[in-house]
Amino acid sequence: MRPNFGGEPIIVTCSLTVASFADLSETTMDYSLSLSLYLEWTDKRLVHNSSGEITFQTIETIKKAWLPDVYFLNEKTGIFHDIISENTAFIVYPDGKIIYSIRLTLTLSCFMELYFFPMDRQQCPLLIRSYAYNEKMSF
């Protein structure tokens, strides 16, 4: 169940760091990104008295917590990185602030206008949305 169920919406801040941009293809109209995604929100149910943050790194533990339902609207394929260990972290601060991070490689669609190929300029978006909720909904 989401934090504040029936109450105020949870504000989730999203940021990312792009590690690489590759494989821009005019034939398949897509491109690939390798990135770290960071989501931040507060869950008052997880307030604790520890002197510092608590970090969880196993998917089994992280799945027991509420996570925002973000997805990439223009994703064609995606890979979670798990070489040696799962590249994810769930950090809980004493005040209930959560930072969730995960490393991904995505292939994303990019509609390209090729009227002046190969001299065109393209803008390829990275579209992130909530799957079930938006700022106008209340449950």
Side-chain angles (χ1 to χ4, degrees):
M1 183 179 302
R2 74 178 170 94
N4 297 346
F5 186 77
E8 292 294 314
I10 300 301
I11 304 299
V12 178
T13 303
C14 176
S15 61
L16 56 92
T17 301
V18 176
S20 67
F21 179 98
D23 302 326
L24 180 64
S25 172
E26 65 280 348
T27 55
T28 57
M29 292 202 178
D30 59 22
Y31 67 102
S32 296
L33 283 180
S34 195
L35 58 90
S36 294
L37 174 68
Y38 302 92
L39 302 174
E40 181 180 325
W41 69 96
T42 299
D43 188 339
K44 293 296 183 188
R45 301 173 300 177
L46 299 178
V47 170
H48 59 85
N49 293 327
S50 179
S51 61
E53 69 270 4
I54 301 170
T55 302
F56 300 94
Q57 291 182 289
T58 62
I59 293 294
E60 294 78 25
T61 305
I62 294 169
K63 283 184 178 180
K64 293 178 183 179
W66 178 85
L67 295 174
D69 62 346
V70 298
Y71 76 104
F72 297 92
L73 185 65
N74 57 328
E75 174 196 5
K76 286 183 165 183
T77 61
I79 300 168
F80 293 103
H81 291 262
D82 60 359
I83 304 299
I84 300 176
S85 66
E86 297 155 339
N87 293 181
T88 186
F90 187 86
I91 304 167
V92 183
Y93 291 86
D95 64 354
K97 180 176 86 170
I98 310 294
I99 295 179
Y100 172 64
S101 66
I102 190 162
R103 200 166 75 101
L104 308 163
T105 294
L106 304 169
T107 299
L108 302 149
S109 63
C110 176
F111 178 75
M112 298 181 198
E113 296 181 2
L114 303 171
Y115 302 117
F116 303 107
F117 185 80
M119 304 305 287
D120 300 286
R121 288 187 178 190
Q122 306 302 329
Q123 291 185 354
C124 295
L126 172 61
L127 303 172
I128 303 172
R129 301 269 168 87
S130 170
Y131 188 76
Y133 301 102
N134 66 43
E135 63 191 29
K136 296 177 183 162
M137 300 172 90
S138 60
F139 293 89

